Amino acid sequence: KNEVEQSPQNLTAQEGEFITINCSYSVGISALHWLQQHPGGGIVSLFMLSSGKKKHGRLIATINIQEKHSSLHITASHPRDSAVYICAPRKDFGNEKLTFGTGTRLTIIP
Amino acid sequence: NAGVMQNPRHLVRRRGQEARLRCSPMKGHSHVYWYRQLPEEGLKFMVYLQKENIIDESGMPKERFSAEFPKEGPSILRIQQVVRGDSAAYFCASSPPSGRAANEQFFGPGTRLTVL
């Protein structure tokens, strides 16, 4: 079983829809990144969070450490949000490396 | 403040040649991580370095791969005698010195290695 599970693997939605991507992990963590990767492109760190909730523009990320679960939400989705979104927990303190989910491929149709 | 820089962005090598990938971390960052993304696969951790030290190389293949982060200059990921299976995107990330509870990693644009 993978240490990090994301769902859904693929998501297609109409422009303007509210999007939710989920991430469950089985390891103890000190923090979790949400990353965005456009096709053939680089990786952008959207959020790093270790508790509660963070908001940046139309993006919201939440984490529940006890339940080992995090979600990424996109409000008023737009075609330019089409990308792969990757959940990346960082293990316990003192172990800095990231583990990665398989990613959620999001396509927003105009 | 420039972000994480990687060069070259694209690298083509023939089987048996050496590949050198460079990563310059963000200013003030002393931690560097290398990750690999094989075609149609997810990202995988390779190695974590601090200045002049390898902290965790548990993700590095046992042979042909090495990494360094010298006191001066960029971090180098070196692949000797490349094979077609080494074709991948190699991403570098950096973070500031420890001391904070959780240090955010910032990613470079990646080097896309193609082995012919």
Side-chain angles (χ1 to χ4, degrees):
Chain A
K1 189 178 189 298
N2 292 334
E3 289 183 326
V4 186
E5 297 278 354
Q6 278 187 244
S7 62
Q9 288 189 327
N10 294 282
L11 178 57
T12 300
Q14 293 286 338
E15 183 174 354
E17 286 190 38
F18 181 81
I19 303 298
T20 295
I21 299 171
N22 295 301
C23 174
S24 296
Y25 50 90
S26 58
V27 296
I29 71 166
S30 59
L32 182 145
H33 282 256
W34 279 101
L35 309 172
Q36 180 193 56
Q37 185 175 29
H38 283 98
I43 295 170
V44 175
S45 177
L46 300 173
F47 294 101
M48 185 190 72
L49 64 166
S50 52
S51 65
K53 175 180 174 179
K54 283 190 176 180
K55 185 176 189 292
H56 184 247
R58 295 181 294 105
L59 302 177
I60 303 165
T62 63
I63 190 167
N64 185 318
I65 295 290
Q66 287 73 30
E67 295 187 4
K68 292 185 166 60
H69 183 269
S70 177
S71 293
L72 177 68
H73 306 283
I74 305 174
T75 61
S77 58
H78 189 277
R80 65 174 174 265
D81 297 327
S82 299
V84 175
Y85 292 84
I86 303 166
C87 166
R90 199 188 89 173
K91 289 187 177 180
D92 294 332
F93 292 101
N95 190 340
E96 307 265 343
K97 65 188 180 189
L98 299 179
T99 54
F100 299 91
T102 52
T104 295
R105 186 175 301 275
L106 175 66
T107 303
I108 302 297
I109 299 171
Chain B
N1 186 10
V4 179
M5 300 176 69
Q6 289 188 248
N7 68 81
R9 295 288 302 275
H10 299 273
L11 182 60
V12 178
R13 285 287 179 264
R14 296 191 180 279
R15 281 180 297 169
Q17 292 184 317
E18 179 179 286
R20 281 183 179 244
L21 288 61
R22 294 175 190 79
C23 169
S24 296
M26 287 179 69
K27 188 176 180 181
H29 286 192
S30 57
H31 297 196
V32 165
Y33 316 81
W34 286 94
Y35 300 100
R36 178 166 70 171
Q37 187 174 41
L38 292 166
E40 304 303 320
E41 292 190 22
L43 286 154
K44 294 283 194 301
F45 167 79
M46 298 184 76
V47 62
Y48 162 35
L49 309 106
Q50 296 176 18
K51 284 283 187 181
E52 301 185 277
N53 285 305
I54 296 175
I55 307 301
D56 184 345
E57 56 181 348
S58 59
M60 289 279 270
K62 296 290 182 240
E63 296 177 347
R64 302 186 297 108
F65 284 71
S66 62
E68 62 177 5
F69 188 17
K71 187 176 180 181
E72 302 291 337
S75 175
I76 306 285
L77 179 68
R78 183 183 177 207
I79 312 172
Q80 295 178 288
Q81 299 175 328
V82 296
V83 301
R84 288 214 175 104
D86 297 332
S87 295
Y90 292 82
F91 291 95
C92 165
S94 73
S95 67
S98 296
R100 295 174 51 186
N103 296 318
E104 184 168 6
Q105 293 185 25
F106 296 85
F107 284 78
T111 293
R112 278 152 183 83
L113 172 66
T114 301
V115 179
L116 301 177

